[in-house]
Amino acid sequence: MASIVEGKRRGAENAHQERAWLAWTIAALQRAKRLPALTEIAGNKKRTPKRRAASVEALMTMAHMWTAATGGKME
């Protein structure tokens, strides 16, 4: 229960920080003589590498290992 409350508190705090940053940025941009490029403000998006799909052999190997670890039998 305490971890749920802590998670909600952190979420609310993060949301507040995001709104505060947004308000500050809007106010600062209104005073700017020249607007910076959007990429300077937004930053670069980090690309997440795409994972390759596992082969059938790899999946079967994992299934055999899991079954052996749990004491089951493969059919």
Side-chain angles (χ1 to χ4, degrees):
M1 182 71 151
S3 61
I4 293 172
V5 173
E6 177 65 17
K8 290 283 189 181
R9 185 194 65 76
R10 283 185 183 179
E13 185 177 325
N14 288 342
H16 172 74
Q17 290 295 330
E18 289 173 1
R19 289 190 303 270
W21 180 88
L22 182 61
W24 184 91
T25 303
I26 290 170
L29 289 174
Q30 288 175 341
R31 293 188 305 268
K33 292 182 181 179
R34 182 174 103 27
L35 289 177
L38 182 59
T39 55
E40 291 178 30
I41 298 171
N44 296 332
K45 284 189 173 182
K46 294 182 179 177
R47 293 184 182 179
T48 55
K50 292 184 179 179
R51 294 174 58 178
R52 292 184 185 178
S55 67
V56 174
E57 293 82 16
L59 292 173
M60 288 304 293
T61 302
M62 285 188 268
H64 285 286
M65 291 171 62
W66 181 256
T67 302
T70 57
K73 293 182 181 179
M74 287 295 287
E75 295 180 16

